[in-house]
Amino acid sequence: MYFRCGLNLLYKDLSRLTGRTTQTTWGSLSRSLVLSPQRRIPDFSNFVARTNTCGELRSSHLGQEVTLCGWIQYRRQNTFLVLRDFHGLVQVVIPQDESAASVKKILCEAPVESVVQVSGTVVSRPPGQDNPKMPTGEIEIKVKTAELLNSCKKLPFEIKDFVKKTEAVRLQYRYLDLRSFQMQYNLRLRSQMVMKMREYLCNLHGFVDVETPTLFKKTPGGAKEFVVPSREPGKFYSLPQSPQQFKQLLMVGGFDRYFQVARCFRDEGSRPDRQPEFTQIDIEMSFVDQTGIQSLIEGLLQYSWPRDKDPVIVPFPSVTFAEALSTYGTDKPDTRFEMKIVDISDVFRNTKIGFLQDVLSKPQGTIKAICVPEGAKYLKRKDIESIRKLASEQFNQEVLPVFLKANRNWNSSVAKSIMEEQRLRLITLLEIQDEDVVLLTAGENKKTCSLLGKLRLECADLLEARGVVLRDPALFSFLWVVDFPLFLPKEENPRELESAHHPFTAPHPNDIHLLYTAPEKVRSQHYDLVLNGNEIGGGSIRIHNAELQHYILATILKEDVKLLSHLLQALDYGAPPHGGIALGLDRLICLVTGAASIRDVIAFPKSSRGHDLMSNAPDYIPPEELKPYHIQVSRPTDAKAEKSSWNHPHCPES
Ligand code: ASP
């Protein structure tokens, strides 16, 4: 998908955006940046020195006197120069006659990527010299005057999307990387989607955009927070993981429809494709239930969805947390393809196969399988071996390949012990076709599901690497996951509970009684939104009863309630029933643009190790500057510090 957002398409997008061209046959992406018809077409050239953008010029502009400002993309034999701005490329003819010697000198001597301003006439290219690959390929600019606005030194890399560069170099020189059409496209699309979201929420549905503080205090639960020293000895602010408490307090304050494009901060260490600071579309409403929030979000995505993509179909399907785990082995299933997990325990109830008997005799023992379509045709023996290795290394579990219709001599020995009647039942249950392979495993229920969930994705990757189209790249498959448990056992101490979402989530009304007897069985009013196997949003109906909130915090979660006394107090002063959600904007835009990483949709992202490779943040602060904060740091030795400080921009991290 990503490659489809190439240069040409972007020129088309933006040309179309100006509405000054007659072309109507542009590719699908061209529609994505078009604003709705009732809105004014933006004028890219008022208030500034240029009359037009480079990328917008067409035959319809023939004869017009134009002034363009842009970067020199390249020069050919001192006769042509290609000028670039965000909008596209245009060919400029360098005058050769004596009278224009000074213009020629400027345009021939300015290094590539210098910024120039040229004025001249839009003319047709000579017959046979049209460039159909270039949206401006029918015309060129006959220059009369030129001015060098700023010269460019030798660059660390060429500003051409097809020139490969490491991500570390791109991040180090982000301001240059941003000149690429790809980054221009990604960030402009992001801006447009956010604009449409604001329009939908504020103008169409009466939401109020409220900014909440960035300096806050440490709060219980959830992710680790970044701390900010204060001048009061030993006192720190925390950067909020999300505006969760504030948005609930806004409900108490009577702002019953709140939204914010909110920056959130989580100090989760280095995790691939996560950012220590990221953006949420944060929403809260009073007097709402789960279906109200879901409809709002479906409408929001439908309204803001780029028009070049297939329209968003609503309502989104929904599965319970329990179904998601048992069918897909994960709470964020990729529903673009089938390969569902099937419980085949019943087929083997009276089996003679020893290890299957063993598993079934245990309390949570199950036998499950996935059917890999055309696996016998496309998967190689070494693929099956790598699948089995993954299962044994990561899950300590056996996986057996079973070919029930196809004939392969690397069939597992179990296949030979399967009786005809069992074979027929399996073929029906798993809907096995001729060239399919079944991956069968037996073990504890949850672990077996997680393993097969992982293998499902692994097999999808393997099949796609062999050319099978399993996940349509144009398909956006949204899914609600609902009925999460309110609490999950803590990983480090499974006898203690933690919130599955956050401690403010309300229990499912039918399960409230269980809070006092079997809290681990309580379902919650928490919902997640999943897109193509990625969690892109999550929210819940909140607890608005102070007593219940206190009980959950103090008795079940064993949190220090004093830290949340402000919230508990607020709930007691007439808090309305309320609920909300937050969409992860970076991840959403990443999926919409088909970008390889969320870093490609953020202007100035951190590396996966949380560093800013451009400015080298985080960095040391001299001890005297730390004094007002009453902080003393034992630094690594100066030599080491210097090394790490200077090495970061060049290290191959990203
Ligand atoms: N604050 C929550 C989060 O960041 C979202 C919500 O419950 O509205 O996940």
Side-chain angles (χ1 to χ4, degrees), residues 242 244 247 266 280 282-284 501-502 538-540 542 580-582:
S242 78
Q244 184 60 38
K247 66 175 174 172
R266 292 184 193 173
Q280 287 185 343
D282 196 39
I283 290 172
E284 196 77 9
H501 186 46
H502 53 55
S540 58
R542 326 296 184 189
I581 190 164

PDB file of all heavy atoms in Angstrom, residues 242 244 247 266 280 282-284 501-502 538-540 542 580-582, ligand 1:
ATOM      1  N   SER A 242      -2.589   9.958  30.055  1.00  0.00           N
ATOM      2  CA  SER A 242      -3.720  10.367  29.222  1.00  0.00           C
ATOM      3  C   SER A 242      -4.501  11.361  30.090  1.00  0.00           C
ATOM      4  O   SER A 242      -4.291  11.410  31.300  1.00  0.00           O
ATOM      5  CB  SER A 242      -4.609   9.167  28.885  1.00  0.00           C
ATOM      6  OG  SER A 242      -5.424   8.839  29.974  1.00  0.00           O
ATOM      7  N   GLN A 244      -7.194  11.175  31.402  1.00  0.00           N
ATOM      8  CA  GLN A 244      -8.319  10.421  31.934  1.00  0.00           C
ATOM      9  C   GLN A 244      -9.044  11.129  33.084  1.00  0.00           C
ATOM     10  O   GLN A 244     -10.247  11.325  33.046  1.00  0.00           O
ATOM     11  CB  GLN A 244      -7.843   9.034  32.385  1.00  0.00           C
ATOM     12  CG  GLN A 244      -8.967   8.139  32.858  1.00  0.00           C
ATOM     13  CD  GLN A 244     -10.002   7.879  31.776  1.00  0.00           C
ATOM     14  OE1 GLN A 244      -9.658   7.724  30.600  1.00  0.00           O
ATOM     15  NE2 GLN A 244     -11.271   7.866  32.136  1.00  0.00           N
ATOM     16  N   LYS A 247     -10.679  14.477  32.060  1.00  0.00           N
ATOM     17  CA  LYS A 247     -11.902  14.430  31.248  1.00  0.00           C
ATOM     18  C   LYS A 247     -13.092  14.002  32.086  1.00  0.00           C
ATOM     19  O   LYS A 247     -14.203  14.472  31.885  1.00  0.00           O
ATOM     20  CB  LYS A 247     -11.718  13.594  29.982  1.00  0.00           C
ATOM     21  CG  LYS A 247     -11.475  12.128  30.101  1.00  0.00           C
ATOM     22  CD  LYS A 247     -11.442  11.523  28.685  1.00  0.00           C
ATOM     23  CE  LYS A 247     -11.053  10.077  28.670  1.00  0.00           C
ATOM     24  NZ  LYS A 247     -11.212   9.478  27.339  1.00  0.00           N
ATOM     25  N   ARG A 266       4.052   8.115  28.110  1.00  0.00           N
ATOM     26  CA  ARG A 266       4.209   6.846  28.853  1.00  0.00           C
ATOM     27  C   ARG A 266       5.658   6.405  28.776  1.00  0.00           C
ATOM     28  O   ARG A 266       6.218   6.270  27.688  1.00  0.00           O
ATOM     29  CB  ARG A 266       3.291   5.761  28.271  1.00  0.00           C
ATOM     30  CG  ARG A 266       1.848   6.113  28.531  1.00  0.00           C
ATOM     31  CD  ARG A 266       0.840   5.095  28.090  1.00  0.00           C
ATOM     32  NE  ARG A 266      -0.474   5.750  28.131  1.00  0.00           N
ATOM     33  CZ  ARG A 266      -1.593   5.232  27.686  1.00  0.00           C
ATOM     34  NH1 ARG A 266      -1.604   4.034  27.172  1.00  0.00           N
ATOM     35  NH2 ARG A 266      -2.723   5.906  27.761  1.00  0.00           N
ATOM     36  N   GLN A 280      -3.593  11.183  21.214  1.00  0.00           N
ATOM     37  CA  GLN A 280      -4.908  10.529  21.229  1.00  0.00           C
ATOM     38  C   GLN A 280      -5.996  11.515  20.823  1.00  0.00           C
ATOM     39  O   GLN A 280      -5.906  12.694  21.151  1.00  0.00           O
ATOM     40  CB  GLN A 280      -5.256  10.060  22.651  1.00  0.00           C
ATOM     41  CG  GLN A 280      -4.492   8.858  23.137  1.00  0.00           C
ATOM     42  CD  GLN A 280      -4.978   8.391  24.505  1.00  0.00           C
ATOM     43  OE1 GLN A 280      -5.653   9.120  25.230  1.00  0.00           O
ATOM     44  NE2 GLN A 280      -4.626   7.169  24.861  1.00  0.00           N
ATOM     45  N   ASP A 282      -9.109  12.224  22.233  1.00  0.00           N
ATOM     46  CA  ASP A 282      -9.633  11.860  23.536  1.00  0.00           C
ATOM     47  C   ASP A 282     -11.059  12.405  23.677  1.00  0.00           C
ATOM     48  O   ASP A 282     -11.300  13.591  23.407  1.00  0.00           O
ATOM     49  CB  ASP A 282      -8.707  12.463  24.606  1.00  0.00           C
ATOM     50  CG  ASP A 282      -8.922  11.830  25.951  1.00  0.00           C
ATOM     51  OD1 ASP A 282      -9.137  10.600  25.990  1.00  0.00           O
ATOM     52  OD2 ASP A 282      -8.882  12.549  26.973  1.00  0.00           O
ATOM     53  N   ILE A 283     -11.959  11.550  24.084  1.00  0.00           N
ATOM     54  CA  ILE A 283     -13.386  11.904  24.070  1.00  0.00           C
ATOM     55  C   ILE A 283     -14.053  11.468  25.374  1.00  0.00           C
ATOM     56  O   ILE A 283     -13.723  10.400  25.900  1.00  0.00           O
ATOM     57  CB  ILE A 283     -14.069  11.187  22.872  1.00  0.00           C
ATOM     58  CG1 ILE A 283     -13.594  11.823  21.558  1.00  0.00           C
ATOM     59  CG2 ILE A 283     -15.593  11.218  22.982  1.00  0.00           C
ATOM     60  CD1 ILE A 283     -14.026  11.101  20.313  1.00  0.00           C
ATOM     61  N   GLU A 284     -14.964  12.274  25.863  1.00  0.00           N
ATOM     62  CA  GLU A 284     -15.769  11.885  27.031  1.00  0.00           C
ATOM     63  C   GLU A 284     -17.160  12.495  26.885  1.00  0.00           C
ATOM     64  O   GLU A 284     -17.299  13.610  26.368  1.00  0.00           O
ATOM     65  CB  GLU A 284     -15.091  12.377  28.321  1.00  0.00           C
ATOM     66  CG  GLU A 284     -15.597  11.739  29.597  1.00  0.00           C
ATOM     67  CD  GLU A 284     -15.080  10.307  29.846  1.00  0.00           C
ATOM     68  OE1 GLU A 284     -14.187   9.823  29.123  1.00  0.00           O
ATOM     69  OE2 GLU A 284     -15.603   9.674  30.770  1.00  0.00           O
ATOM     70  N   HIS A 501      -8.452  -2.397  32.019  1.00  0.00           N
ATOM     71  CA  HIS A 501      -8.359  -1.129  31.288  1.00  0.00           C
ATOM     72  C   HIS A 501      -7.738  -0.095  32.223  1.00  0.00           C
ATOM     73  O   HIS A 501      -6.542   0.109  32.203  1.00  0.00           O
ATOM     74  CB  HIS A 501      -9.749  -0.717  30.792  1.00  0.00           C
ATOM     75  CG  HIS A 501      -9.738   0.488  29.905  1.00  0.00           C
ATOM     76  ND1 HIS A 501      -8.854   0.644  28.871  1.00  0.00           N
ATOM     77  CD2 HIS A 501     -10.532   1.592  29.883  1.00  0.00           C
ATOM     78  CE1 HIS A 501      -9.085   1.804  28.264  1.00  0.00           C
ATOM     79  NE2 HIS A 501     -10.094   2.396  28.857  1.00  0.00           N
ATOM     80  N   HIS A 502      -8.541   0.562  33.039  1.00  0.00           N
ATOM     81  CA  HIS A 502      -7.993   1.404  34.101  1.00  0.00           C
ATOM     82  C   HIS A 502      -8.976   1.395  35.264  1.00  0.00           C
ATOM     83  O   HIS A 502     -10.117   0.942  35.111  1.00  0.00           O
ATOM     84  CB  HIS A 502      -7.639   2.814  33.619  1.00  0.00           C
ATOM     85  CG  HIS A 502      -8.753   3.536  32.923  1.00  0.00           C
ATOM     86  ND1 HIS A 502      -9.991   3.719  33.486  1.00  0.00           N
ATOM     87  CD2 HIS A 502      -8.804   4.098  31.692  1.00  0.00           C
ATOM     88  CE1 HIS A 502     -10.751   4.383  32.639  1.00  0.00           C
ATOM     89  NE2 HIS A 502     -10.071   4.604  31.530  1.00  0.00           N
ATOM     90  N   GLY A 538      -9.627   2.624  22.759  1.00  0.00           N
ATOM     91  CA  GLY A 538     -10.173   1.902  23.905  1.00  0.00           C
ATOM     92  C   GLY A 538     -10.854   2.885  24.821  1.00  0.00           C
ATOM     93  O   GLY A 538     -10.490   4.069  24.876  1.00  0.00           O
ATOM     94  N   GLY A 539     -11.856   2.414  25.499  1.00  0.00           N
ATOM     95  CA  GLY A 539     -12.545   3.289  26.429  1.00  0.00           C
ATOM     96  C   GLY A 539     -13.484   2.489  27.290  1.00  0.00           C
ATOM     97  O   GLY A 539     -13.481   1.253  27.251  1.00  0.00           O
ATOM     98  N   SER A 540     -14.282   3.214  28.065  1.00  0.00           N
ATOM     99  CA  SER A 540     -15.197   2.510  28.961  1.00  0.00           C
ATOM    100  C   SER A 540     -16.265   3.464  29.473  1.00  0.00           C
ATOM    101  O   SER A 540     -16.118   4.688  29.395  1.00  0.00           O
ATOM    102  CB  SER A 540     -14.432   1.926  30.152  1.00  0.00           C
ATOM    103  OG  SER A 540     -13.757   2.936  30.868  1.00  0.00           O
ATOM    104  N   ARG A 542     -17.654   4.827  32.857  1.00  0.00           N
ATOM    105  CA  ARG A 542     -16.890   5.001  34.097  1.00  0.00           C
ATOM    106  C   ARG A 542     -17.757   4.750  35.324  1.00  0.00           C
ATOM    107  O   ARG A 542     -18.986   4.854  35.275  1.00  0.00           O
ATOM    108  CB  ARG A 542     -16.333   6.422  34.200  1.00  0.00           C
ATOM    109  CG  ARG A 542     -15.935   7.071  32.909  1.00  0.00           C
ATOM    110  CD  ARG A 542     -14.790   6.362  32.229  1.00  0.00           C
ATOM    111  NE  ARG A 542     -14.393   7.101  31.018  1.00  0.00           N
ATOM    112  CZ  ARG A 542     -13.554   6.659  30.123  1.00  0.00           C
ATOM    113  NH1 ARG A 542     -12.997   5.474  30.239  1.00  0.00           N
ATOM    114  NH2 ARG A 542     -13.240   7.379  29.057  1.00  0.00           N
ATOM    115  N   GLY A 580     -16.342   7.255  27.935  1.00  0.00           N
ATOM    116  CA  GLY A 580     -15.553   7.855  26.860  1.00  0.00           C
ATOM    117  C   GLY A 580     -14.658   6.853  26.192  1.00  0.00           C
ATOM    118  O   GLY A 580     -14.777   5.632  26.393  1.00  0.00           O
ATOM    119  N   ILE A 581     -13.762   7.411  25.430  1.00  0.00           N
ATOM    120  CA  ILE A 581     -12.875   6.569  24.617  1.00  0.00           C
ATOM    121  C   ILE A 581     -11.699   7.428  24.170  1.00  0.00           C
ATOM    122  O   ILE A 581     -11.791   8.668  24.184  1.00  0.00           O
ATOM    123  CB  ILE A 581     -13.655   6.021  23.386  1.00  0.00           C
ATOM    124  CG1 ILE A 581     -12.836   4.946  22.662  1.00  0.00           C
ATOM    125  CG2 ILE A 581     -14.051   7.132  22.416  1.00  0.00           C
ATOM    126  CD1 ILE A 581     -13.658   4.101  21.696  1.00  0.00           C
ATOM    127  N   ALA A 582     -10.616   6.785  23.788  1.00  0.00           N
ATOM    128  CA  ALA A 582      -9.516   7.514  23.162  1.00  0.00           C
ATOM    129  C   ALA A 582      -9.054   6.708  21.951  1.00  0.00           C
ATOM    130  O   ALA A 582      -8.913   5.486  22.029  1.00  0.00           O
ATOM    131  CB  ALA A 582      -8.370   7.681  24.151  1.00  0.00           C
TER     132      ALA A 582
HETATM  133  N1  ASP B   1      -7.698   7.083  28.940  1.00  0.00           N
HETATM  134  C1  ASP B   1      -7.895   5.798  28.316  1.00  0.00           C
HETATM  135  C2  ASP B   1      -6.619   5.335  27.624  1.00  0.00           C
HETATM  136  O1  ASP B   1      -5.742   6.124  27.402  1.00  0.00           O
HETATM  137  C3  ASP B   1      -8.978   5.815  27.313  1.00  0.00           C
HETATM  138  C4  ASP B   1     -10.321   5.951  27.934  1.00  0.00           C
HETATM  139  O2  ASP B   1     -10.684   5.134  28.776  1.00  0.00           O
HETATM  140  O3  ASP B   1     -11.055   6.865  27.514  1.00  0.00           O
HETATM  141  O4  ASP B   1      -6.514   4.182  27.274  1.00  0.00           O
END
